[in-house]
Amino acid sequence: MEANNLELVQFCISKIGTPYVMGTSGRVLTQAMYNDLVKRNPGGWFIKKRLATVRSWIGMVTADCHGLIEWFVREVTGRNYDVTADGAYAAAKVKDVMGTLPERPGICVRYRGHVGVYIGGGYVVEARGFDHGVCITRLSERPFTHWYEHPEIAYTGRELPAPKIVSAKKDSDLYDVVWLQIALNRQIGKGKLSGRPITVDGIYGRGTAEAAAKFWRKRGWTKKDEIWGIGKHTIKALS
């Protein structure tokens, strides 16, 4: 089965909150793995002040920056794929400097020794490091220098699939909420909605709810038209 760019974005967003451990790629961290990693100490990452916290993650799934992508490839294709972030960039056939970044979800963005996945709208999902884990960041606030099409990913689409509905009353998928947040921020960026951009984090909080309500009020809808402001009419209009 082929791994494509839109699935990569959805997968990486679904892993927000995963702890970052250097040298791991989406498998359960075991005591044996921990002992081996500390002994080898890749990149000098396993410093004393991190060890107690990393030990507390034994039994949890962890990943490093390129390990997040390796995890996706393994889940989709069943094939083990193990290279460094820099090795993947070196193998890429399509790449350039950040100033030419295409607006295409699933493009990889990198600086030396690190990689993230561009999800569109000026945002990146990345296994950022020990203090952050897998999270969403603003592209403009990160020191990425180059972009590339990952050699293990088929680039087949330019638009992320819209969710069917995002509910404020029950837990929604991280992807669905992130899609809504980015779509609302596009409206704000174009001046079609007032206010500051909302935080893109996959959490349906007050800021997201208020922006969604502003959107459907501007459309002339009421709560009878759009329950909680994020039903099928809102999704269709934002698409």
Side-chain angles (χ1 to χ4, degrees), residues 12-224:
C12 291
I13 290 173
S14 76
K15 305 307 177 187
I16 291 172
T18 299
Y20 179 104
V21 175
M22 177 70 79
T24 63
S25 58
R27 292 186 170 91
V28 174
L29 182 66
T30 65
Q31 184 67 55
M33 288 170 61
Y34 170 85
N35 293 341
D36 176 65
L37 287 166
V38 171
K39 182 178 180 180
R40 291 190 290 112
N41 198 13
W45 188 85
F46 289 85
I47 57 178
K48 185 176 180 180
K49 67 179 182 179
R50 291 175 176 162
L51 295 183
T53 301
V54 176
R55 277 198 303 271
S56 74
W57 291 336
I58 290 174
M60 298 174 62
V61 174
T62 64
D64 65 15
C65 66
H66 195 261
L68 181 62
I69 300 173
E70 294 170 19
W71 183 4
F72 168 69
V73 172
R74 186 175 66 247
E75 289 281 318
V76 173
T77 70
R79 184 169 60 83
N80 287 320
Y81 171 67
D82 184 12
V83 300
T84 65
D86 290 345
Y89 173 72
K93 295 180 179 179
V94 180
K95 49 189 165 184
D96 208 338
V97 296
M98 283 303 298
T100 65
L101 176 70
E103 183 60 26
R104 191 171 195 184
I107 290 289
C108 290
V109 289
R110 58 92 63 173
Y111 55 81
R112 186 175 180 182
H114 184 69
V115 63
V117 176
Y118 184 62
I119 62 176
Y123 293 91
V124 176
V125 62
E126 55 180 316
R128 184 174 177 181
F130 176 77
D131 293 325
H132 304 278
V134 179
C135 61
I136 291 178
T137 56
R138 282 182 176 271
L139 180 69
S140 61
E141 296 175 356
R142 301 286 287 135
F144 296 112
T145 59
H146 295 78
W147 65 267
Y148 65 97
E149 292 187 359
H150 197 282
E152 294 296 314
I153 304 298
Y155 287 82
T156 59
R158 294 183 178 274
E159 295 292 334
L160 289 173
K164 294 180 180 179
I165 191 169
V166 182
S167 174
K169 297 188 70 176
K170 66 180 181 64
D171 291 337
S172 295
D173 288 342
L174 284 165
Y175 170 78
D176 294 345
V177 179
V178 168
W179 185 96
L180 176 66
Q181 290 169 333
I182 291 176
L184 289 169
N185 276 346
R186 285 198 178 101
Q187 296 290 312
I188 294 169
K190 293 176 180 178
K192 295 182 178 181
L193 280 182
S194 61
R196 298 174 61 84
I198 57 180
T199 300
V200 178
D201 55 9
I203 299 171
Y204 194 100
R206 181 175 178 179
T208 302
E210 289 178 349
K214 280 183 183 179
F215 179 78
W216 53 256
R217 281 198 297 267
K218 189 166 185 177
R219 306 284 295 193
W221 299 333
T222 68
K223 285 187 178 181
K224 291 181 180 179

